């Protein structure tokens, strides 16, 4: 039994690992590489392995850095099963269609600029075909991935539908259990349940995004959010929140809703300016079975994503009208790392106004506009124009959907406590410096840990 690490190896994006068991090859995730444009474009164009060699795909969750290259497999002839949870499947239906649209638009743009034909990575028909191949499953129900490999999804508590995958692998009379963590969430995140630690394992592929630091608490984050809103509103400014359309947007809405109910923030116009966020909010409403019923508002409020002065703006004219509106307001728009999407218009308009606040509530990868804003660089480049950064920049890490160091430790400690024979742990999905630090701390605590390089192969 072997694993080849392709993506999210010594980096955060492009999650993709190959599992070789019993003569079969299974892809764990097939995500998009993000970050530096030219570099990631090259990586995104490389197939992880020849298509005929792939026997099945097991998807951990719908985030594009995990699912975004599935239609690219289809564009290259893949026609076998893609396993996912039911909510992941529904999220992928809207997210992959959106991604296909972006691929097509990007290619058109390059054609105009370079005056030569550029093939999009994939198109809408490939996203549609992906959905025909994707099977949505409940949590905790074993399924046969390929002969000799039985999978079970457990709730990873990261975003709607997110899962860690238990893979029971049999070759001859030997069975070993591999656990793929997917992205591990946090306890106490709004709406969705807390992460479930998988049972005993022989080997683990584990994410390590925040392996070197702790987040502020979820409660601390709410208080911080209320404070930022009150102060910015008092200055007459706007609160611009770049947010991933899936997960973070709904979490922000839930927080705003609950703060309003408590009277902790003034009632301001709130715009969700993202067609994708509107669609993914609908998918949330379709999956109440995944909600955390121990949360007060989940139990008591029927419409979690509706409150006074909340407006979902789908069409472009409505979106433009927001810039003309006056007075304090909250604008939530994608993309989360400010690399694309309507947030760019709001930043082009609002970043130079010192009354405004750019409120960062998500991870900002290297080489993104979001990272430059977190670093408070004085001049930003938006749509090719120089825009001075004079708005306040606030960072709330408590809204991270990723486990922090303490929560990662809790997760792996529980696996270890249940595992008499826990063998290797491979850290993935983290920046190299963070991974090295986390590897050292786990090693010091008696774990056998490595950080595989891209295209390296290990056996277990
Ligand atoms: Zn994720
Ligand atoms: Zn991820």
């Amino acid at each position: 039994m072997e694993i080849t690490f392709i993506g999210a190896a010594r980096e955060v994006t492009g999650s993709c690992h190959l599992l070789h068991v019993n003569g079969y090859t299974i892809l764990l995730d097939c995500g998009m590489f993000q970050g530096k444009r030219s570099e990631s474009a090259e990586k995104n164009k490389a197939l992880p392995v020849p298509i005929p060699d792939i026997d099945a795909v097991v998807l951990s969750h719908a985030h594009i850095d995990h699912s975004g290259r599935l239609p690219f497999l289809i564009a290259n002839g893949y026609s076998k099963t893609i396993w996912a949870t039911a909510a992941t499947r529904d999220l992928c239906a809207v997210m992959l269609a959106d991604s296909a649209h972006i691929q097509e638009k990007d290619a058109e743009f390059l054609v105009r600029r370079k005056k030569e034909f550029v093939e999009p990575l994939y198109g809408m028909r490939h996203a549609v075909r992906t959905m025909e191949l994707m099977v949505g499953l409940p949590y905790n129900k074993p399924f046969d991935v390929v002969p000799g490999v039985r999978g079970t999804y457990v709730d990873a508590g990261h975003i709607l539908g997110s899962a860690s995958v238990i893979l029971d692998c049999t070759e001859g009379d030997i069975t070993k259990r591999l656990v793929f963590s997917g992205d591990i969430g946090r306890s106490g995140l709004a709406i969705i349940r807390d992460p479930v630690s998988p049972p005993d394992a022989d080997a683990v592929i584990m994410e390590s995004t925040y392996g070197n630091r702790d987040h502020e608490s979820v409660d601390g984050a709410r208080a911080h959010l209320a404070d930022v809103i009150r102060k910015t509103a008092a200055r007459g400014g706007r609160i611009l929140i770049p947010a991933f359309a899936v997960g973070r947007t709904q979490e922000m809405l839930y927080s705003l809703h609950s703060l309003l109910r408590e009277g902790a923030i003034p009632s301001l116009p709130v715009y969700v300016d993202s067609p994708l966020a509107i669609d993914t909010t609908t998918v949330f409403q379709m999956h109440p079975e995944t909600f955390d019923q121990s949360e007060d508002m989940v139990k008591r409020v029927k419409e979690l994503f509706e409150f006074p002065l909340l407006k979902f703006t789908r069409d472009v004219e409505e979106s433009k009208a927001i810039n003309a509106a006056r007075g304090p307001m909250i604008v939530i728009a994608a993309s989360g790392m400010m690399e694309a999407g309507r947030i760019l218009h709001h930043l082009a308009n609002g970043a130079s106004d010192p009354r405004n606040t750019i409120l960062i509530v998500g991870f900002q990868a290297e080489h993104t506009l979001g990272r430059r804003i977190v670093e408070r660089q004085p001049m930003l480049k938006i749509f090719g124009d120089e825009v001075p950064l004079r708005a306040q920049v606030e960072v709330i890490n408590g809204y991270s959907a990723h486990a922090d160091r303490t929560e990662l430790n809790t997760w792996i400690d529980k696996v270890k406590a249940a595992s008499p024979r826990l063998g290797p742990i491979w850290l993935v999905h983290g920046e190299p410096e963070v991974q090295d630090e986390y590897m050292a701390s786990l090693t010091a605590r008696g774990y056998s840990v490595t950080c595989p390089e891209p295209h390296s192969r290990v056996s277990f």
Side-chain angles (χ1 to χ4, degrees), residues 245 250 272-283 312-314:
Q250 292 77 22
V272 177
D273 189 25
S274 156
L276 180 61
I278 298 170
D279 292 339
T280 53
T281 304
T282 308
V283 177
F312 291 91
T313 48
R314 188 179 282 277

Side-chain angles (χ1 to χ4, degrees), residues 427 435-445 449:
L427 294 184
Q435 290 198 309
D436 290 342
E437 226 181 288
Y438 191 49
M439 176 170 65
S441 81
L442 282 181
T443 306
R445 296 175 60 231
V449 192

Side-chain angles (χ1 to χ4, degrees), residues 4 6 30 33 41 43 55 73 153 174 178 191 254 306 314 340 343 366 379 419 448 455 459:
T4 311
I6 303 288
C30 196
F33 292 94
K43 288 190 201 164
D55 298 294
L73 296 183
Y153 283 119
I174 299 172
L178 171 71
I191 315 167
Y254 184 96
E306 277 174 32
R314 188 179 282 277
I343 192 66
E366 286 176 292
M379 200 60 84
S419 310
S448 163
H455 304 284
S459 48

Side-chain angles (χ1 to χ4, degrees), residues 310-363:
L310 171 61
K311 199 164 166 15
F312 291 91
T313 48
R314 188 179 282 277
D315 70 56
V316 177
E317 291 312 311
E318 281 179 313
S319 170
K320 284 183 183 155
I322 299 173
N323 281 323
R326 307 214 155 264
M329 65 178 78
I330 299 170
V331 181
I332 304 173
S335 77
M337 295 197 210
M338 295 168 259
E339 282 296 274
R342 289 184 180 176
I343 192 66
L344 290 179
H345 294 276
H346 298 292
L347 290 171
N349 236 283
S352 59
D353 187 337
R355 291 173 301 175
N356 296 342
T357 301
I358 303 169
L359 177 58
I360 314 265
V361 291
F363 180 78

Side-chain angles (χ1 to χ4, degrees), residues 144-332:
D144 290 316
V145 183
V146 294
V149 179
R150 172 158 279 215
T152 309
Y153 283 119
V154 295
D155 201 332
H158 166 65
I159 60 162
L160 187 83
S162 67
S164 301
V165 199
I166 301 166
L167 295 149
D168 290 313
C169 308
T170 306
E171 268 181 8
D173 50 9
I174 299 172
T175 295
K176 288 192 171 173
R177 175 169 284 174
L178 171 71
V179 167
F180 171 42
S181 73
D183 286 359
I184 303 170
R186 312 183 60 198
S187 301
L189 276 187
I191 315 167
I192 57 170
R193 287 188 295 254
D194 294 351
V196 173
S197 279
D200 61 297
D202 296 294
V204 179
I205 304 173
M206 182 184 178
E207 74 118 321
S208 54
T209 320
Y210 287 104
N212 69 341
R213 56 190 181 277
D214 284 329
H215 300 313
E216 71 184 295
S217 71
V218 173
D219 286 344
R222 277 181 88 249
H224 193 165
L225 174 68
D227 189 56
V228 169
I229 291 170
R230 283 193 304 261
K231 282 185 178 146
T232 310
R235 289 197 299 270
R238 300 175 173 209
I239 299 115
L240 305 178
I241 310 181
F244 291 111
V246 50
R248 198 56 38 83
T249 292
Q250 292 77 22
E251 236 186 296
M252 295 314 295
L253 289 177
Y254 184 96
S255 283
L256 293 172
H257 191 178
S258 71
L259 289 170
L260 272 172
R261 280 167 64 91
E262 291 163 20
I265 55 171
S267 186
L268 303 176
V270 177
Y271 295 95
V272 177
D273 189 25
S274 156
L276 180 61
I278 298 170
D279 292 339
T280 53
T281 304
T282 308
V283 177
F284 266 73
Q285 288 160 329
M286 284 160 59
H287 286 282
E289 82 282 2
T290 64
F291 292 0
D292 188 343
Q293 294 298 333
S294 69
E295 283 173 38
D296 192 51
M297 216 165 77
V298 168
K299 267 189 306 203
R300 298 223 319 243
V301 179
K302 192 159 167 285
E303 302 297 344
L304 290 177
F305 307 109
E306 277 174 32
F307 51 83
L309 299 185
L310 171 61
K311 199 164 166 15
F312 291 91
T313 48
R314 188 179 282 277
D315 70 56
V316 177
E317 291 312 311
E318 281 179 313
S319 170
K320 284 183 183 155
I322 299 173
N323 281 323
R326 307 214 155 264
M329 65 178 78
I330 299 170
V331 181
I332 304 173

Side-chain angles (χ1 to χ4, degrees), residues 61 65-66 183 402 429:
H61 65 291
D65 65 311
H66 297 256
D183 286 359
H402 281 276
H429 205 286

